[in-house]
Amino acid sequence: MSVEINVTGEVVTAYLKGELDHHTAKAMREAIDGAVEMNMPTLLILDFEGVSFMDSSGIGLVMGRYRNLVKFGAQLHITGAGPQIFRMFKLAGIEKLAKLEGR
């Protein structure tokens, strides 16, 4: 799993790639949190288009980033989620916390 961070103005976009599970989630959280702390965006976009597999660690990653963003009034958007990942997010109620867009 890897994450590529792009910063444009007040928007931080994290492009997630590969498998997102308990083995890879920690490094991804650290990369995303570092970019958020450094740039203090008004919007964080998590792009899941490159994610081939996700377990519950992905839900935890999203929830943790949401809690961090709420502290300073930023928003969270999730894009590019494939059908299975999109369904997991819907079942977890993520659309109540973040704008959720599938492929």
Side-chain angles (χ1 to χ4, degrees), residues 36 40-44 66 68-76:
V36 167
M40 299 300 286
T42 58
L43 173 63
L44 171 62
Y66 172 78
N68 290 344
L69 293 170
V70 167
K71 294 175 187 174
F72 56 92
Q75 295 182 359
L76 175 63

Side-chain angles (χ1 to χ4, degrees), residues 13-56:
T13 304
Y15 298 94
L16 311 169
K17 296 182 176 83
E19 296 186 357
L20 175 49
D21 58 22
H22 70 280
H23 296 293
T24 59
K26 180 180 179 187
M28 294 184 61
R29 282 192 310 266
E30 291 172 352
I32 295 167
D33 289 350
V36 167
E37 288 174 19
M38 182 181 299
N39 296 285
M40 299 300 286
T42 58
L43 173 63
L44 171 62
I45 301 171
L46 299 177
D47 187 318
F48 279 79
E49 187 161 353
V51 177
S52 58
F53 170 83
M54 183 183 86
D55 66 10
S56 62

